[in-house]
Amino acid sequence: MLTDCQSTTEPIEPVFNSEVIGISPQQLNDYWQVDAPIISMLKRRPTWLPKGKGGWTFLTVFDSNGDEVKRTLISSSHEGCMTQNKIDQIPKTLLSL
């Protein structure tokens, strides 16, 4: 028996069955239930967490099953405080808290 598979290096774009809508964090429970993760203490400072004072805003797109599709950095309070690369490094379990 011979088998073969082929993969592509091109990113796969998600396909949505309806229009994408924006909701506030307070509305999340109106759309799906999130299982509470087990919280564990970190042994050291995460590499993605910026040092010093600062803040950032990013957009997270979820599908109808609650699975994350994409994260996009919107702004940070000072240059280099947060980058798209650091946003991509944040574990998904921390975003669901």
Side-chain angles (χ1 to χ4, degrees):
M1 178 167 151
L2 294 174
T3 60
D4 188 20
C5 70
Q6 179 180 1
S7 63
T8 178
T9 58
E10 296 177 21
I12 298 172
E13 290 295 322
V15 176
F16 299 101
N17 293 330
S18 64
E19 290 296 315
V20 176
I21 61 170
I23 62 171
S24 69
Q26 295 79 17
Q27 294 174 298
L28 286 175
N29 289 334
D30 296 340
Y31 291 90
W32 67 82
Q33 296 295 318
V34 178
D35 294 331
I38 297 172
I39 298 174
S40 61
M41 296 295 293
L42 299 174
K43 301 209 184 299
R44 64 182 190 276
R45 182 182 189 83
T47 57
W48 53 264
L49 185 62
K51 293 181 181 177
K53 293 183 179 180
W56 60 89
T57 303
F58 66 95
L59 172 71
T60 305
V61 177
F62 295 97
D63 66 13
S64 61
N65 296 318
D67 297 323
E68 181 184 308
V69 175
K70 181 180 175 181
R71 287 184 229 163
T72 306
L73 179 65
I74 304 292
S75 65
S76 63
S77 62
H78 63 274
E79 181 112 8
C81 171
M82 182 56 83
T83 63
Q84 182 63 47
N85 186 39
K86 289 180 181 179
I87 291 288
D88 294 339
Q89 291 176 17
I90 300 174
K92 290 181 180 183
T93 54
L94 292 178
L95 295 175
S96 63
L97 295 176

